[in-house]
Amino acid sequence: MGDKRRRFHEEMTFIKRINPTQYEIAMGFVPNMRVPGICYVNSALEGLLFDELKAYSSSGGQGGFLPAVKQMANVAAMPGIVQRSIALPDMHSGYGFAIGNVAAFDMSDPEAVVSPGGVGFDINCGVRLIRTKLTEADVADKKEELAQALFDHIPVGVGSQGIIATNTKDLDTILEMGMDYSVREGYSWAEDKDHCEEHGRMLSADPSKVSQRAKKRGLPQMGTLGGGNHYAEIQVIDKVFDEVAARKMGIDQEGQVCIMLHSGSRGLGHQVATDALTTMDKAMSRDGIIVNDRQLACTRINSKEGQDYLAGMACAANFAWVNRSSMTFLVRQAFQKIFKQQADDLDMHVVYDVSHNIAKVEEHLVNGVPKRLLVHRKGSTRAFPPHHPLIPVDYQMIGQPVLIGGTMGTHSYVLTGTERGMAETFGSTCHGAGRAASRNSSRRTLDYTQVLDNLKTKGISIRVASPKLVMEEAPESYKDVSAVVDTCHEAGISKKTVRLRPIAVIKG
């Protein structure tokens, strides 16, 4: 026990608090670090970070997992990384990269790599917020009816299949065109894509780089929510922090009803990642790439394998945007059915749509010099500042909207990007609460009837396809989303605009 305790104390000598919201992980914490690590965490959250590291060290590294702080440090050892490996306050252990980890790689460095573990298996898992002109009073006596209508319209659950017909030819078009397909087919309003990251289409997509197996998995899943932490929620604004920004987004009235969708690329994205990991294992051996963790499989950005993955990843991202657009179509239908009004009369416009799992080529300043970087964001959100050319014209003065989904039954937030975030985190911020307990632990320690009863006592209508899986998504399984958001706000890497409270939850 003495050796294990000594190991933990030795590791902690590499970690120091540099201000109230940041810890620095010095080079040497793990072998071969090329840059330091930065963890954004306040006093309310730091215990979770170090308790996980202590448990790992005390077990002598046994247990089959790496703590998140080790994972983000291993990322700091990857070829071509610049400035720092960044951990946001919702960080928790993932595959390869920690979830909540941001890292950027220099496109001009021939050694620089791309890693599927830095994007995740649910490529372009993201969040979309739809506003309405309705108030909580307007829906009070229709809440159960609305929840049931959404549950009936949107296919949910792990094996759910879409009701929007998609054939093989359509799928290739979706993978290439993204939301331009949705607009063409009438599933999206033309203005929806203007309020979507990348306008809902990555132009680098090449459907020929997506395997037939991935396409087969994605074909029946268009317009489906899926399971796990994916959800559709009816929410109401319960606090406005920044009236100017909220007014620009049309979400400035307390009690105003909104709908939040959280889903991604489903089985197609998962298979794109799986296929790439297999290919990259071989490329690493060929090119002599060495990493600290075998889950950090990667390849040179400019290699055939790297370019193929980025083209396939872009296809999966486009699929996810069309998926969320298709569900937006179904949400509008459900509200039209209940309120006997057209969706445009209900002001059901898309506020914004953000990605939480993606890698993108962007320009950032590195030591005062503009550089083209491949920014990996895994469980984090792009948060560009005011006047950035890649955000919508009507949001130029306030910065990019950032959508932060809460845990089942807790608050969600809308933030905006800042100049400080652009300088410190490559224009990135948190994406949600972040898990505090594993899924297995949640299943062992929580009772699903109790979780559902707790939601009902809060006045939240709930519809779930698999009640027993609700335990994995209970608020007790997650960090406090408000503490996560407060950390980012206090650090200045994003700015609080609006807080939303759920009144109905639809889950797989």
Side-chain angles (χ1 to χ4, degrees), residues 121-142:
F121 286 94
D122 192 359
I123 296 167
N124 193 8
C125 178
V127 172
R128 173 173 294 205
L129 187 67
I130 305 159
R131 72 184 188 218
T132 78
K133 70 175 185 180
L134 299 166
T135 67
E136 188 170 13
D138 293 329
V139 304
D141 61 347
K142 293 182 171 69

Side-chain angles (χ1 to χ4, degrees), residues 174-472:
I174 286 166
L175 299 183
E176 181 179 356
M177 293 180 61
M179 278 183 65
D180 286 335
Y181 169 88
S182 300
V183 173
R184 188 188 78 182
E185 297 299 314
Y187 294 123
S188 281
W189 297 349
E191 59 267 34
D192 287 353
K193 68 175 189 171
D194 294 333
H195 283 175
C196 185
E197 193 172 328
E198 298 292 320
H199 295 281
R201 179 183 184 181
M202 290 189 78
L203 298 175
S204 55
D206 182 352
S208 72
K209 305 303 181 184
V210 177
S211 71
Q212 289 304 310
R213 185 174 183 185
K215 291 176 182 178
K216 185 177 180 180
R217 291 183 67 180
L219 192 60
Q221 294 183 327
M222 181 52 62
T224 64
L225 195 63
N229 63 350
H230 294 164
Y231 59 77
E233 283 190 0
I234 303 172
Q235 304 172 338
V236 295
I237 296 169
D238 78 345
K239 189 169 182 63
V240 176
F241 301 99
D242 184 335
E243 291 184 3
V244 172
R247 194 176 306 118
K248 277 287 184 185
M249 297 182 217
I251 50 171
D252 56 333
Q253 301 298 314
E254 290 189 9
Q256 183 179 348
V257 172
C258 297
I259 304 95
M260 183 173 278
L261 297 172
H262 179 207
S263 190
S265 52
R266 307 289 278 112
L268 184 139
H270 194 285
Q271 192 63 48
V272 167
T274 302
D275 292 341
L277 288 167
T278 302
T279 302
M280 289 186 186
D281 266 340
K282 298 172 184 174
M284 288 176 71
S285 298
R286 181 195 67 207
D287 296 337
I289 300 172
I290 299 173
V291 292
N292 287 351
D293 177 8
R294 67 182 303 272
Q295 290 186 357
L296 291 172
C298 57
T299 189
R300 310 288 184 217
I301 295 172
N302 293 321
S303 68
K304 180 182 184 302
E305 294 85 358
Q307 291 298 300
D308 285 354
Y309 168 69
L310 289 171
M313 182 211 69
C315 287
N318 289 346
F319 182 96
W321 279 313
V322 176
N323 188 34
R324 291 197 287 275
S325 296
S326 300
M327 285 187 284
T328 301
F329 173 79
L330 298 171
V331 167
R332 287 167 173 160
Q333 279 194 328
F335 270 69
Q336 286 175 168
K337 177 182 176 182
I338 300 302
F339 288 97
K340 314 300 183 193
Q341 295 184 59
Q342 292 299 307
D344 52 350
D345 293 330
L346 293 171
D347 192 34
M348 296 188 73
H349 288 274
V350 173
V351 175
Y352 205 61
D353 180 303
V354 296
S355 170
H356 290 160
N357 287 348
I358 208 158
K360 288 199 285 193
V361 178
E362 299 171 357
E363 187 172 284
H364 292 270
L365 291 176
V366 178
N367 300 322
V369 178
K371 291 270 191 182
R372 285 180 76 243
L373 306 176
L374 182 63
V375 183
H376 293 62
R377 294 189 181 93
K378 180 180 182 180
S380 63
T381 316
R382 193 185 75 174
F384 282 174
H387 312 300
H388 195 284
L390 293 182
I391 60 178
V393 172
D394 47 344
Y395 296 155
Q396 281 287 306
M397 300 302 291
I398 62 171
Q400 181 200 305
V402 177
L403 309 177
I404 308 300
T407 57
M408 191 171 56
T410 66
H411 289 109
S412 294
Y413 287 83
V414 180
L415 317 178
T416 50
T418 65
E419 289 288 354
R420 184 166 179 178
M422 198 68 178
E424 290 187 8
T425 64
F426 306 106
S428 310
T429 192
C430 61
H431 85 304
R435 295 196 73 87
S438 71
R439 295 181 189 277
N440 286 337
S441 173
S442 298
R443 283 195 295 267
R444 286 195 305 268
T445 57
L446 297 171
D447 180 87
Y448 77 93
T449 56
Q450 200 170 19
V451 174
L452 295 176
D453 287 344
N454 287 341
L455 291 172
K456 288 176 184 175
T457 60
K458 293 178 181 178
I460 299 172
S461 299
I462 177 81
R463 297 292 187 280
V464 292
S466 305
K468 292 188 177 181
L469 295 182
V470 163
M471 298 175 293
E472 298 177 3

